[in-house]
């Protein structure tokens, strides 16, 4: 009986050591671990997009704008959207970016574009493919 | 809990139920809110592999709703009046500053849960389980709304609540899969440390009537299929999954063009399944035939699992297994990859196991012949799957033959049938112009040997390179299907608990069979070439072991916390898995 107890103890220790070693060598792939800026719980749940991040940086003669939009869970059948970005400058409005892509509920859409330094603002619009406006955002380029 | 004196007109049971459900829902919402505030993202499948953020957005109306739910839970609690009043004031006070309201509600929810659990741990557990059930109900309603093209804004919080229930486990998903694979080692330890004493107890008083479970199982299969091919998400009726597009549809057309014997050439490694595909294509046309295959696979798998579990458990447990079948890794991965041949072959292997168990019980040529016939059908439906099942079954018969002479003739017969079968198949398929099964076996063995060498060269298992391949198989192949943690955990508990079960007769055979099968699959998965790890993981009847694990957990919970907690646990587990499977299928089609 004692031999069996000793054997089972030795086995349990070896197994625990094996599992601990396996756990110690594991590193989750970097892309699996991700965080975004949180959205306020008080936002309107029937909106389509929320701005979770915006940043403007000067690079040479340009302003680089980075925007992250979170697609809400509202109206999940609406997936294909069109993003239009224009620069509001003294001479008028100039197109910068136009892209069409599917964005699924809970997904974050990351956008990065550059605008000439002289412009005042970047106008970002997200529409459904039928042309319904889902989000309209003005990013001021001058502080 | 308020006593009958306090509220004489309200039946105590309804009051208790309301309290448990409201407290649980409030706690699950609070947990989701915390996750939402960290901005955590997790991989899910929705139109492809995407990172989805837990974003609990309630608006002021939703927040007010949460406040009401928590207020009801507080006022119906069993705490002293002063404590109830204090919490109620906190909930009411939160309405004065909406920015802090959610934080206050979240803290109050956890506080109430802790206070209730300190008084009765059973109530605390029941509340969490009830909360999971309600959250998953909303999630399933949201998913079904997507399928039908109509949805209610009330269900909008469903996906966030669901995601926050398991999001953090996705980071360690490969470890959970690994633990499940290594569970035969735990079984051996359990066996060594304690003598088997537990019988598989009847779950009659917890589980639904088997007819209800089977009906529910069939309805889930149908709704999965309808989500794929009769839903607002797929109005054009395009084929869903990988293999239906790249393999089955073009092959069905090729077989129709080349004539009836072409199934031997086109489907050289799975001729029996291709014969079925050809017959369906003649009857319905190739497109409808391919669309029908997943439904047949789901039905066959549920039925096979029911049949095997019926051999060692009661009817209700078998019904529960059938209900769990369409919610399993086998189903979600099968639908993603369109692994219809593998899946059919696995179902036939499960049926072969059932007939083997029956043969051990009653003996007779009839069951032995049926068993061998099903084993041949398994290999003929998918040669690789057949090889894995044959290896596990041969191992089982060898172990049994060491104990009793009864298994010896069947073992000899099985080896003869495998040898003769391979020879016949090789001759017939080669003559029909297909690639011979022997050469497939040979190339698989060569591939594995090369891969084994590579694993050894790069530092063996658990090296950085090995983990990269294994993690890729878990996360990327069959996109996120392996991230549902319950299936793996139940597999681990089920396999380990086999060591505790009284091992006599049929049950010993089944234990040996399941443990040796999982051991074969683990060895193959750990040493498989990069792209075949998930295919190796696929070749095991998880649902059968899961139901053994679930039975063990329910026994323990029932003993400690009573039947009601057991029932709630079962309902919560099933609802979580239903939520995962439904979201997965919807995401696959979206």
């Amino acid at each position: 009986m004692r031999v069996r107890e000793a054997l089972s103890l030795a086995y349990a220790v070896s197994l625990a050591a094996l599992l601990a070693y396996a756990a110690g060598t594991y590193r989750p792939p970097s892309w699996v671990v991700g965080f975004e800026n949180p959205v306020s719980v008080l936002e309107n749940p029937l909106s389509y997009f929320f701005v979770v991040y915006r940043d403007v940086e000067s690079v040479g003669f340009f302003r680089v704008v980075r925007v992250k939009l979170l697609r809400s869970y509202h109206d999940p059948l609406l997936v294909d959207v069109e993003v239009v970005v224009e620069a509001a400058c003294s001479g008028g409005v100039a197109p910068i970016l136009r892209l069409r892509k599917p964005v699924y509920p809970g997904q974050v859409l990351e956008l990065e574009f550059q605008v000439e330094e002289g412009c005042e603002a970047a106008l970002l619009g997200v529409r459904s493919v039928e042309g319904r406006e889902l989000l309209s955002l003005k990013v001021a380029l001058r502080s | 809990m308020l006593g009958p004196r306090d509220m004489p007109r309200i039946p105590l049971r309804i009051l208790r139920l309301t309290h448990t459900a409201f407290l649980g829902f409030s706690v699950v919402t609070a947990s989701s809110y915390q996750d939402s505030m960290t901005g955590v993202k997790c991989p899910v499948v929705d139109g492809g592999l995407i990172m989805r953020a837990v974003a609990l957005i309630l608006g002021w109306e939703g927040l007010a709703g949460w406040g009401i739910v928590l207020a009801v839970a507080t006022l119906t609690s069993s705490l002293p009046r002063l404590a109830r009043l204090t919490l109620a004031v906190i909930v009411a006070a939160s309405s004065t500053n909406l920015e802090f309201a959610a934080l206050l509600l979240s803290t109050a929810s956890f506080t109430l849960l802790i206070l209730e659990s300190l008084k009765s741990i059973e109530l605390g557990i029941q509340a969490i389980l009830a909360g999971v059930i309600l959250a998953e109900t909303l999630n399933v309603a949201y998913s079904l709304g997507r399928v039908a093209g109509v949805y209610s804004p009330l269900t909008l919080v469903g996906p966030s609540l669901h995601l926050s229930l398991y999001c953090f486990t996705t980071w360690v998903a490969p470890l959970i899969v690994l633990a499940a694979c290594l569970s035969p080692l735990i079984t051996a330890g359990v066996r060594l440390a304690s003598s088997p004493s537990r019988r598989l107890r009847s779950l009659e008083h917890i589980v639904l009537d088997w007819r209800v479970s089977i009906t529910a199982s069939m309805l889930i299969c149908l709704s999965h299929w309808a989500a794929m091919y009769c839903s607002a998400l797929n109005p054009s009726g395009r084929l869903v999954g990988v293999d239906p597009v790249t393999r089955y549809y073009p092959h069905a057309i090729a077989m129709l063009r080349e004539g009836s014997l072409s199934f031997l050439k086109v489907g050289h490694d799975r001729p029996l399944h291709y014969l079925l595909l050809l017959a369906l294509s003649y009857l319905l046309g190739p497109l409808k035939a391919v669309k029908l295959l997943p439904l047949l696979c789901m039905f066959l798998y549920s039925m096979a699992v029911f049949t095997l579990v019926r051999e060692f458990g009661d009817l209700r447990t078998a019904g529960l297994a059938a209900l769990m079948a369409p919610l399993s890794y086998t189903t979600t991965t099968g639908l993603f990859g369109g692994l219809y041949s593998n899946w059919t072959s696995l179902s036939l292997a499960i049926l072969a196991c059932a007939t083997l168990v029956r043969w051990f019980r009653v003996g007779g040529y009839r069951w032995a012949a049926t068993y061998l016939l099903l084993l041949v059908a398994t290999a003929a439906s998918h040669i690789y799957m057949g090889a894995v099942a044959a290896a596990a079954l041969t191992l089982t018969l060898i172990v049994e033959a060491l104990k009793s002479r009864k298994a010896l003739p069947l073992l000899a017969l099985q080896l003869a049938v495998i040898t003769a079968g391979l020879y016949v198949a090789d001759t017939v398929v080669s003559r029909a112009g297909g690639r011979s099964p022997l050469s497939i076996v040979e190339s698989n063995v060569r591939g594995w040997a090369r891969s084994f060498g590579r694993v050894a060269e790069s530092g063996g298992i658990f090296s950085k390179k090995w983990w990269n391949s294994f993690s890729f198989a878990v996360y990327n192949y069959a996109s996120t299907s392996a991230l549902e943690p319950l299936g793996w955990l139940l597999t681990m508990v089920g396999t380990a608990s086999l060591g505790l079960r009284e091992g006599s007769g049929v049950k010993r055979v089944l234990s040996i069979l399941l443990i040796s099968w999982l051991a074969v699959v683990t060895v193959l998965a750990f040493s498989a070439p990069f792209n075949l790890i998930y295919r190796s993981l696929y070749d095991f009847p998880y649902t059968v072991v899961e139901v053994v694990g679930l039975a063990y957990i329910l026994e323990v919970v029932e003993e400690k916390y009573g039947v009601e907690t057991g029932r709630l646990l079962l309902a919560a587990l099933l609802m979580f898995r239903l939520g995962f499977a439904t979201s997965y299928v919807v995401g696959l089609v979206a």
Side-chain angles (χ1 to χ4, degrees):
Chain A
M1 202 62 188
R2 273 188 187 166
V3 175
R4 189 176 167 158
E5 272 172 19
L7 266 177
S8 67
L9 187 68
Y11 185 86
V13 170
S14 317
L15 191 58
L18 174 76
L19 292 175
Y21 175 69
T25 53
Y26 171 69
R27 301 282 177 277
S30 56
W31 65 270
V32 174
V33 183
F35 293 93
E36 291 295 343
N37 289 344
V39 181
S40 166
V41 74
L42 283 171
E43 293 276 6
N44 178 8
L46 300 183
S47 301
Y48 284 87
F49 284 93
F50 304 103
V51 183
V52 289
Y53 177 80
R54 76 168 95 175
D55 177 53
V56 181
E57 189 190 353
S58 282
V59 179
F61 295 109
F62 294 97
R63 296 281 170 122
V64 176
V65 181
R66 294 183 191 90
V67 178
K68 286 186 185 182
L69 304 174
L70 173 74
R71 170 71 170 92
S72 78
Y73 290 94
H74 170 57
D75 194 3
L77 284 179
L78 196 156
V79 167
D80 290 313
V81 295
E82 190 177 48
V83 180
V84 180
V85 181
E86 292 167 327
C89 313
S90 51
V93 174
I96 289 185
L97 176 78
R98 179 182 285 262
L99 63 94
R100 188 182 271 205
K101 67 180 294 179
V103 187
Y104 292 88
Q107 195 177 3
V108 172
L109 176 64
E110 292 185 34
L111 298 166
E112 183 176 324
F113 48 88
Q114 51 186 24
V115 188
E116 279 179 36
E117 202 175 16
C119 298
E120 288 112 41
L123 308 170
L124 190 150
V126 184
R127 302 179 198 135
S128 69
V129 285
E130 295 85 25
R132 187 150 46 109
E133 190 170 283
L134 308 176
L135 177 81
S136 178
L137 178 72
K138 184 177 178 181
V139 183
L141 301 175
R142 288 179 192 165
S143 50
Chain B
M1 186 64 51
L2 291 177
R5 254 189 214 175
D6 298 302
M7 283 192 161
R9 285 180 199 166
I10 302 173
L12 203 63
R13 194 170 160 70
I14 292 178
L15 206 63
R16 187 184 154 91
L17 201 69
T18 309
H19 172 67
T20 311
F22 279 39
L23 172 59
F25 188 69
S26 191
V27 168
V28 171
T29 308
S31 158
S32 181
Y33 167 73
Q34 299 294 344
D35 289 351
S36 183
M37 285 300 99
T38 62
V40 64
K41 293 192 295 185
C42 298
V44 296
V45 73
D46 203 345
L49 202 166
I50 62 160
M51 291 297 280
R52 170 174 285 170
V54 178
L56 190 76
I57 300 156
L58 299 170
W60 70 266
E61 301 97 329
L63 208 61
W66 184 9
I68 291 167
V69 165
L70 185 58
V72 172
T74 307
L75 292 170
T76 53
S77 77
S78 61
L79 299 174
R81 277 189 186 159
L82 189 65
R84 262 188 274 150
L85 202 66
T86 314
L87 277 172
V89 168
I90 290 174
V91 173
S94 66
S95 61
T96 55
N97 186 339
L98 285 179
E99 283 302 320
F100 283 107
L103 191 63
L104 279 172
L105 289 175
S106 165
T107 314
S109 303
F110 287 126
T111 310
L112 185 59
L113 179 75
I114 292 167
L115 290 175
E116 287 284 33
S117 301
L118 286 174
K119 273 193 100 174
S120 156
I121 185 78
E122 187 190 320
L123 184 69
I125 295 171
Q126 286 183 1
I128 293 171
L129 296 172
V132 170
I133 295 168
L134 288 174
E136 287 302 344
T137 307
L138 287 177
N139 180 45
V140 171
Y142 180 82
S143 297
L144 293 179
R146 285 180 79 177
V147 172
V150 282
Y151 86 104
S152 157
L154 287 174
T155 64
L156 279 180
V157 291
S160 287
L161 297 179
H162 168 70
L163 197 58
S164 68
L165 287 176
Y166 76 99
C167 188
F168 283 96
T169 68
T170 60
W171 299 354
V172 288
L175 273 180
I176 297 174
V177 178
L178 178 95
C181 289
L182 292 179
S183 52
L185 294 178
I186 303 174
T187 321
V190 169
R191 199 85 188 177
L192 201 63
S194 58
S195 14
S197 56
R198 278 177 182 273
R199 285 170 180 277
L200 188 65
R201 247 175 50 185
S202 167
L203 298 172
E204 273 191 16
H205 50 293
I206 291 186
V207 181
L208 290 169
D209 183 87
W210 68 276
R211 283 165 289 237
V212 178
S213 296
I214 293 265
T215 310
S217 169
M218 296 298 121
L219 283 175
I220 294 169
C221 294
L222 272 173
S223 67
H224 281 355
W225 185 79
M228 289 165 73
Y229 291 121
C230 310
S231 79
L233 292 167
N234 188 7
S236 60
R238 69 178 195 281
L239 289 170
V240 177
V242 180
D243 279 6
V245 180
T246 58
R247 170 185 276 277
Y248 294 112
Y249 183 61
H251 285 186
I253 290 174
M255 285 193 293
L256 286 177
R257 206 173 36 228
E258 290 179 28
S260 51
L261 277 177
S262 58
F263 74 93
L264 287 169
K265 183 182 162 195
V266 182
H268 55 267
D269 58 347
R270 54 196 83 188
L272 188 62
H273 194 245
Y274 266 47
L275 183 61
L276 171 74
L277 176 62
L278 182 63
L280 287 173
S281 300
Y282 272 130
L283 284 171
L284 306 167
L287 192 62
K288 280 185 183 164
V290 174
K291 285 181 178 177
L292 193 63
L293 287 179
L295 187 63
L296 295 179
C297 285
M298 282 189 274
F299 280 157
L300 183 64
Y301 181 62
S302 298
M303 196 198 75
V305 165
F306 176 85
T307 311
L308 179 56
V309 176
R310 182 69 192 96
E311 287 300 319
F312 66 91
D314 57 67
L315 265 171
R316 286 190 182 222
T317 311
L320 175 64
L323 180 56
M324 284 165 71
L327 313 176
S328 65
Y329 172 74
T330 306
T331 298
T332 48
T333 303
L335 293 178
F336 177 91
L339 307 173
Y340 306 143
S341 304
N342 313 48
W343 200 352
T344 306
S345 179
L346 179 66
S347 304
L348 290 169
I350 295 170
L351 286 173
C353 294
T355 50
L356 178 69
V357 171
R358 179 63 68 92
W359 178 80
F360 268 104
R361 183 181 291 146
V362 299
Y365 294 112
R366 201 165 54 116
W367 289 112
T370 313
Y371 161 67
L372 291 171
L373 204 65
L374 280 166
L375 191 59
V376 171
T378 302
S381 297
H382 194 273
I383 181 91
Y384 172 80
M385 256 313 305
V388 173
L393 286 160
T394 307
L395 210 59
T396 308
L397 285 176
I398 289 172
V399 174
E400 269 306 297
L402 292 174
K403 286 201 167 182
S404 84
R405 280 183 149 189
K406 187 184 175 185
L408 212 54
L410 189 61
L411 174 64
L413 207 58
Q414 177 168 311
L415 292 173
V417 166
I418 290 172
T419 315
L422 264 178
Y423 176 76
V424 172
D426 207 58
T427 315
V428 172
V429 172
S430 302
R431 274 190 195 160
R435 195 177 156 205
S436 81
L438 272 177
S439 74
I440 297 169
V441 172
E442 200 187 319
S443 76
N444 266 294
V445 170
R446 267 207 310 271
W448 244 271
R450 268 201 305 273
S451 167
F452 203 78
R454 272 199 295 270
V455 169
E457 268 172 32
S458 62
I461 59 169
F462 309 143
S463 66
K464 193 178 172 191
K465 198 171 177 190
W466 183 87
W467 270 122
N468 283 346
S469 305
F470 196 71
S471 297
F472 194 82
V474 170
Y475 289 112
N476 296 67
Y477 277 109
S479 282
T480 74
S481 168
L483 301 189
E484 193 271 288
L486 283 184
W488 302 108
L489 293 174
L490 287 176
T491 300
M492 190 169 65
V493 174
T495 315
S497 73
L498 286 172
L500 287 172
R501 304 278 180 202
E502 266 179 356
S504 64
V506 166
K507 283 176 187 159
R508 190 186 61 225
V509 175
L510 197 88
S511 293
I512 295 168
L513 172 65
L514 292 173
I515 291 166
S516 45
W517 198 337
L518 187 54
V520 169
V521 164
T522 300
V523 170
L524 288 173
F526 282 14
S527 58
F530 183 67
N531 59 332
L532 294 179
I533 298 175
Y534 97 103
R535 276 258 311 269
S536 305
L537 287 173
Y538 192 71
D539 303 334
F540 183 71
Y542 293 101
T543 312
V544 177
V545 191
E546 280 166 17
V547 86
V548 176
L550 186 54
Y552 178 75
I553 291 172
L554 288 175
E555 273 175 46
V556 173
V557 168
E558 194 196 326
E559 265 171 34
K560 262 193 144 174
Y561 304 112
V563 181
E564 205 166 314
T565 312
R567 280 197 193 120
L568 272 173
L569 175 66
L570 176 63
L573 288 176
L574 288 175
M575 279 308 293
F576 175 79
R577 301 197 81 189
L578 178 65
F580 186 92
T582 311
S583 308
Y584 191 86
V585 175
V586 167
L588 206 59
V589 190

